Amino acid sequence: MKNNRLLFNGLLVFGWISILTSCTSNKNIPYFQDAGYTKQAQKVINSYQPVIQSDDILAISISSLNPEATVLFNTKATNSSTNTLDQRQIDGYLVDKNGFVDMPVIGLMKLGGLTSDAASNTIKAKLTNYLKEPSVSVRFLNFKVSVLGEVARPGVYPITSESVTLAEALGLAGDITIYGVRENVLLIREENGSRQFARINMNSSDVFATPYYYLHKGDVIYVEPNQRKYTSSESNKPYQILAVLIGFLNVAAIVALNKN
């Protein structure tokens, strides 16, 4: 009887140790655990504005007090609200490698390096030679980010606004799964012919003060799997078999105790 109880207790302890060591600590799950107000973070948030770069596709909408004359300055992308995003991209203005767009009537306009508001004002100043009280709207048509790895819905996400944060992009992808490493998220950014790699700790509020909190066009986010994912994968079947065997042994020990 005493030996059976010792066997049962030993198996029970071993089983609990195996289960606990295979689990991810919940302290690594919540985002921004040390979040608080910082002037540096607020400065980054308040000062961010995306700028026009080579290979951007822009929707440029022009209006004025003379609608008939204004038609000459608009493209299909701005004349129809029923076009799909793909069609609007085809009809939009492509920024060339030198930052110029070629517009009807007024010709080449240097918009590279400008924000959308600055680009609108630049075009508007040029249009005053042709239209009465022109109004110009400039928007990005090819702003999209990719979210890959351990998220609920990996994929490529078009962004309709002028900005998106890292947290918002993860939200679009259904958030990081329980198997994702939150403290080592990889961000890949390509700008002006160079590629940048950044490792971001989503558990820390320091992310708010980095240049990666607001995403840029074409950014790629990758969430790597944690050890729990590896343990539960097909390549680690022995761990799963061991857990099953421990369960059977625990049941056998309980039965043996009941018989005695």
Side-chain angles (χ1 to χ4, degrees):
M1 181 71 175
K2 183 177 181 181
N3 290 336
N4 286 337
R5 288 188 180 279
L6 289 174
L7 174 63
F8 171 73
N9 290 335
L11 290 173
L12 190 61
V13 170
F14 181 66
W16 276 110
I17 291 174
S18 299
I19 293 171
L20 290 174
T21 54
S22 66
C23 295
T24 301
S25 172
N26 62 2
K27 71 179 182 179
N28 293 327
I29 294 176
Y31 292 138
F32 320 128
Q33 295 176 29
D34 59 346
Y37 176 83
T38 63
K39 291 183 178 180
Q40 183 181 6
Q42 194 63 39
K43 182 179 179 181
V44 171
I45 293 172
N46 292 339
S47 63
Y48 174 79
Q49 282 188 300
V51 297
I52 298 169
Q53 302 179 41
S54 299
D55 296 325
D56 274 342
I57 301 175
L58 306 176
I60 302 177
S61 176
I62 299 170
S63 61
S64 74
L65 295 180
N66 188 342
E68 292 78 10
T70 305
V71 171
L72 297 174
F73 298 88
N74 280 318
T75 66
K76 296 178 183 178
T78 57
N79 287 334
S80 175
S81 59
T82 60
N83 286 338
T84 64
L85 177 60
D86 288 341
Q87 185 61 48
R88 293 200 304 273
Q89 289 179 348
I90 292 173
D91 293 330
Y93 292 95
L94 176 66
V95 182
D96 67 21
K97 64 180 181 180
N98 296 315
F100 287 90
V101 297
D102 191 3
M103 299 185 61
V105 182
I106 59 179
L108 291 175
M109 295 288 298
K110 179 65 180 290
L111 302 181
L114 302 178
T115 65
S116 58
D117 287 342
S120 297
N121 291 332
T122 299
I123 297 171
K124 182 178 178 180
K126 186 74 172 181
L127 287 172
T128 54
N129 297 326
Y130 305 92
L131 300 173
K132 185 176 181 180
E133 298 186 21
S135 176
V136 181
S137 171
V138 177
R139 297 190 63 183
F140 295 92
L141 284 176
N142 63 328
F143 197 148
K144 57 187 177 182
V145 297
S146 301
V147 188
L148 309 174
E150 282 300 324
V151 291
R153 296 185 299 273
V156 179
Y157 292 89
I159 307 300
T160 56
S161 63
E162 282 201 347
S163 65
V164 62
T165 67
L166 177 57
E168 287 171 335
L170 290 173
L172 289 173
D175 203 2
I176 299 175
T177 71
I178 197 67
Y179 297 112
V181 179
R182 285 164 166 74
E183 61 268 30
N184 198 30
V185 174
L186 174 64
L187 188 145
I188 305 170
R189 175 172 294 172
E190 293 195 34
E191 286 185 342
N192 301 320
S194 64
R195 183 173 299 160
Q196 305 173 31
F197 299 89
R199 292 285 181 175
I200 301 167
N201 183 0
M202 295 299 296
N203 291 338
S204 171
S205 62
D206 289 344
V207 64
F208 294 114
T210 72
Y212 306 105
Y213 177 67
Y214 278 97
L215 301 182
H216 293 192
K217 174 181 63 71
D219 279 357
V220 177
I221 303 164
Y222 173 68
V223 181
E224 64 183 68
N226 58 25
Q227 188 59 43
R228 183 178 179 184
K229 178 71 171 184
Y230 287 123
T231 301
S232 62
S233 67
E234 290 296 324
S235 61
N236 287 278
K237 279 292 185 182
Y239 291 99
Q240 300 176 23
I241 295 172
L242 178 60
V244 173
L245 289 175
I246 290 171
F248 279 125
L249 289 172
N250 284 335
V251 172
I254 293 171
V255 171
L257 284 174
N258 289 336
K259 286 183 177 181
N260 294 300

